[in-house]
Amino acid sequence: MGYEFILYDRQPDDIGVITINRPKVLNALNWQTLRELREFFEYLLPKENLKSLIITGAGDRAFVAGADILEMYNMKDREFQEYVDFAHKVYELIESVPSPCIAAINGYALGGGCELALSCDIRVASEKAKLGFPEVKLGIFPGWGGTQRVTRILGLGRTKELVFTGEMIDANEAFRVGLVEKVVPHESVMEEARRIAHTIANRGPIGVRLAKIAINAGSEMDLKKALLLEKTLVSLCFDSEDRIEGMKAFLDKREPTFKGK
Ligand code: CO8
């Protein structure tokens, strides 16, 4: 499938970059963009075997300014429900792929755009970025996982303030409350995302992938079950060649060469 609204670039070190490419509408997500994202994450990504993936927005102004409002306005009831359902599946897919995903937030991350960033594992924001959930201004509310993923990060009160007011916050405030992990100068956002991606790419891939499962799945369980999951998954690492290589490299005082086996 050729892509119309996303760009995919495979870079050295098994790092991929996905760019949402609708800059004229601040990279708003329409059906077709969601379909392309699903196609990429479900069918292409598993073949690419990436160690890390960066998601960003085209142009200089926006990561993603939300769902495409014009398209939503013209939807019929049933279509709207399918659209919501489809977006949920895409975001859950992004959240669960083995490669760690980094959102390089290079501007507005609003509504469905902020929800997309929250489906990623790590968020790096430009100091010019603005984040928020303006949906209540449109007579709806964040329905692509926003009310749930944000609550798990910010807690109830702050989530309600953001969601009920629809007000945007700037990158520094987003950092202060834990919505993004880093704030960097605007021109450095991709560089910082790549730096993190490269660092991850040089770590033991099995350890990173299993840690992602342990953290994501464990965060939805009670502590006892989550610890059991952790024990089980970390034992899988012990059987890997990478574990032997990583420990041997430490003892030999050299950098490890991981094979993902
Ligand atoms: N959808 C469609 N077009 C958009 C969107 C969008 N989300 N955001 C911006 N655009 C378009 C504008 O219409 C404009 O197009 P044109 O040049 O043809 O007029 C172009 O992008 C540039 O935007 P502006 O001229 O508005 O630029 P400004 O710098 O003046 O403002 C803003 C930038 C503040 C980002 C402003 O564009 C804005 O408020 N955009 C809408 C943001 C928003 O409301 N996002 C949430 C959308 S709803 C959503 O994401 C719901 C997800 C879950 C839905 C399912 C459950 C209900």
Side-chain angles (χ1 to χ4, degrees):
M1 172 181 177
Y3 298 127
E4 189 181 355
F5 297 127
I6 65 173
L7 305 171
Y8 170 55
D9 181 29
R10 189 183 171 111
Q11 302 193 343
D13 260 0
D14 302 327
I15 292 167
V17 178
I18 283 282
T19 305
I20 312 291
N21 189 26
R22 301 187 76 214
K24 284 191 183 146
V25 287
L26 305 182
N27 304 317
L29 297 175
N30 59 359
W31 255 114
Q32 181 57 20
T33 314
L34 289 172
R35 279 192 204 100
E36 292 176 15
L37 284 172
R38 193 195 96 158
E39 171 75 23
F40 174 80
F41 279 94
E42 189 152 358
Y43 302 111
L44 184 59
L45 186 63
K47 293 183 209 147
E48 287 288 276
N49 203 19
L50 296 175
K51 290 190 179 146
S52 201
L53 179 71
I54 298 168
I55 303 181
T56 193
D60 207 27
R61 299 196 55 213
F63 173 68
V64 168
D68 188 312
I69 299 169
L70 176 63
E71 195 180 65
M72 270 195 301
Y73 176 71
N74 288 311
M75 277 179 194
K76 305 277 174 282
D77 246 18
R78 199 186 157 82
E79 195 186 354
F80 185 71
Q81 277 162 27
E82 282 171 16
Y83 180 63
V84 173
D85 193 45
F86 192 83
H88 269 254
K89 287 189 182 128
V90 174
Y91 285 20
E92 281 172 39
L93 194 57
I94 295 173
E95 197 169 46
S96 64
V97 289
S99 324
C101 294
I102 300 164
I105 305 175
N106 55 324
Y108 291 111
L110 301 174
C114 200
E115 290 165 317
L116 174 63
L118 290 170
S119 302
C120 297
D121 298 297
I122 298 166
R123 285 154 289 280
V124 177
S126 143
E127 62 195 354
K128 287 191 186 166
K130 290 209 161 39
L131 295 89
F133 297 95
E135 281 93 335
V136 288
K137 296 184 189 169
L138 303 168
I140 54 174
F141 73 87
W144 287 355
T147 59
Q148 304 311 310
R149 291 196 178 93
V150 185
T151 310
R152 281 160 174 73
I153 296 173
L154 300 188
L156 292 172
R158 193 162 284 280
T159 301
K160 286 175 185 170
E161 186 195 349
L162 267 183
V163 169
F164 296 172
T165 64
E167 280 172 3
M168 292 186 234
I169 56 174
D170 65 22
N172 286 323
E173 176 66 0
F175 174 73
R176 197 183 69 76
V177 298
L179 209 52
V180 302
E181 280 65 58
K182 285 227 155 143
V183 180
V184 295
H186 187 63
E187 59 285 0
S188 308
V189 68
M190 273 310 283
E191 188 187 319
E192 179 60 14
R194 278 201 196 92
R195 190 195 65 74
I196 297 171
H198 277 280
T199 304
I200 294 171
N202 286 318
R203 304 306 184 218
I206 296 174
V208 172
R209 285 174 186 197
L210 294 180
K212 177 166 169 172
I213 298 173
I215 295 166
N216 281 356
S219 68
E220 300 300 322
M221 297 174 179
D222 67 54
L223 185 61
K224 237 181 162 49
K225 286 190 186 122
L227 289 171
L228 185 62
L229 175 71
E230 184 194 67
K231 271 195 281 184
T232 310
L233 292 174
V234 82
S235 303
L236 292 178
C237 290
F238 191 80
D239 285 338
S240 68
E241 288 178 27
D242 282 355
R243 191 275 304 176
I244 297 169
E245 167 62 9
M247 294 186 183
K248 187 156 189 326
F250 175 80
L251 297 171
D252 293 348
K253 302 192 186 307
R254 62 174 171 82
E255 289 300 312
T257 309
F258 292 116
K259 294 188 182 139
K261 290 183 186 164

